[in-house]
Amino acid sequence: MKLVFAGTPEVAVPALDALIASDRHEVAAVVTRPDAPAGRGRRLVASPVAERAAEAGIEVLKPAKPRDEEFLARLREIGPDCCPVVAYGALLPKVALDVPARGWVNLHFSLLPAWRGAAPVQHAVLAGDEITGASTFLIEQGLDSGPVYGTVTEEVRATDTSGDLLTRLAFAGSGLLVATMDGIEDGSLKAVPQPADGVTLAPKLTVEDAQVDWAAPALRVDRVVRGCTPAPGAWTVFRGERLKLIQAALVPDRTDLAPGELSPAKNNVYVGSGSHAVELLWVQPQGKKPMRGADWARGVRIAPGERVGAGDVG
């Protein structure tokens, strides 16, 4: 089939690479979000998908909105049979959905109908799911509600961050997307409507969602840290400043600390929670680079009984 691929971030690149490598399909063009400011200089930078497409000599379309008439005219001119999508980042209007004869097919990083929305992997980690996966489905006007072509499963490991899990799903999902294109092309694959039961939503996480509640059980604290890494980044308050929490570990045999109470040791620093202690392995103080928790604790000289999570950010 002639394809127009839509995607934007790094996580979409493995799927684009897999489609480019396929000998059954032609990636005629790529649709991606417009260049965005990045870095200290805030200069405009092309998306990872745009950069990869340019390297491969593929035409790149960057509409401000996918309903822009100039973009729609070019899409019609290309005449794709199907448009595979991975984390494009904009809602597709019906006028765009109607262009390819075989529709737009999204690779979504959950086992639908679970975790429909912008942050399925983060919510799977936050919820403590043991198994997640990826699904390919035909895009319709509803939120991730279209009929499903195929799925692949992936175990959620006890130490997985959202970044770890998403990286594995991006590669596993790329194979699923190519297989879906193959099945659509030869007629061997039919989309199956999603069940009405089991629908859960995965809205984008906010900075407020990523603040650790030390009164919660340690298991919940651990899930927030892992689920919010790398973005938006779990955090707490220490002496009126934000302290980013990059990696933590459960310490079930330490139950003597109050929620948020810090306990530094020679090579460790522990925090109390609503159940048992959590060890802070890696943290990032405001305005500084990531560092080991024990090194941070030595530098700030924690007073007896001092806590994290108390007070507002100054």
Side-chain angles (χ1 to χ4, degrees), residues 16-270:
L16 175 58
D17 282 339
L19 290 167
I20 291 171
S22 168
D23 58 5
R24 289 179 60 173
H25 311 290
E26 173 204 355
V27 181
V30 155
V31 185
T32 191
R33 300 293 291 146
D35 296 358
R40 289 189 175 181
R42 307 304 288 164
R43 65 186 183 88
L44 291 178
V45 175
S47 74
V49 163
E51 290 184 350
R52 179 66 190 95
E55 288 170 9
I58 296 170
E59 179 182 357
V60 179
L61 307 173
K62 303 178 182 180
K65 294 181 180 178
R67 65 173 62 255
D68 290 354
E69 196 49 54
E70 186 178 344
F71 161 69
L72 291 171
R74 180 59 189 140
L75 189 64
R76 294 186 190 104
E77 192 175 4
I78 295 168
D81 298 301
C82 189
C83 294
V85 184
V86 185
Y88 170 47
L91 289 175
L92 295 160
K94 188 175 186 302
V95 67
L97 294 178
D98 289 343
V99 173
R102 303 193 181 191
W104 297 67
V105 176
N106 192 31
L107 172 64
H108 182 77
F109 297 115
S110 81
L111 297 175
L112 291 169
W115 304 129
R116 294 176 180 174
V121 175
Q122 292 161 311
H123 281 274
V125 175
L126 286 170
D129 290 357
E130 295 180 355
I131 298 291
T132 186
S135 307
T136 48
F137 72 93
L138 183 66
I139 294 179
E140 56 180 32
Q141 290 286 279
L143 176 66
D144 300 335
S145 59
V148 172
Y149 282 107
T151 60
V152 62
T153 59
E154 182 72 32
E155 180 185 358
V156 184
R157 300 169 188 168
T159 58
D160 270 341
T161 65
S162 289
D164 298 333
L165 184 54
L166 186 56
T167 297
R168 296 204 306 276
L169 286 170
F171 284 94
S174 65
L176 173 65
L177 187 60
V178 172
T180 300
M181 293 297 107
D182 293 348
I184 291 172
E185 187 263 334
D186 66 19
S188 63
L189 201 56
K190 302 296 180 188
V192 177
Q194 293 183 34
D197 295 333
V199 175
T200 49
L201 300 180
K204 182 178 178 180
L205 295 182
T206 66
V207 172
E208 289 73 25
D209 293 328
Q211 183 176 9
V212 168
D213 175 11
W214 295 105
L219 193 62
R220 174 64 183 173
V221 172
D222 176 62
R223 288 176 184 171
V224 171
V225 173
R226 292 187 296 110
C228 294
T229 299
W235 61 281
T236 189
V237 178
F238 179 71
R239 295 178 184 169
E241 291 190 338
R242 189 169 293 180
L243 178 68
K244 188 175 180 181
L245 307 173
I246 299 171
Q247 187 181 10
L250 300 173
V251 188
D253 59 353
R254 186 81 192 266
T255 58
D256 59 314
L257 298 174
E261 183 182 355
L262 290 158
S263 176
K266 184 177 180 181
N267 296 309
N268 316 81
V269 59
Y270 304 103

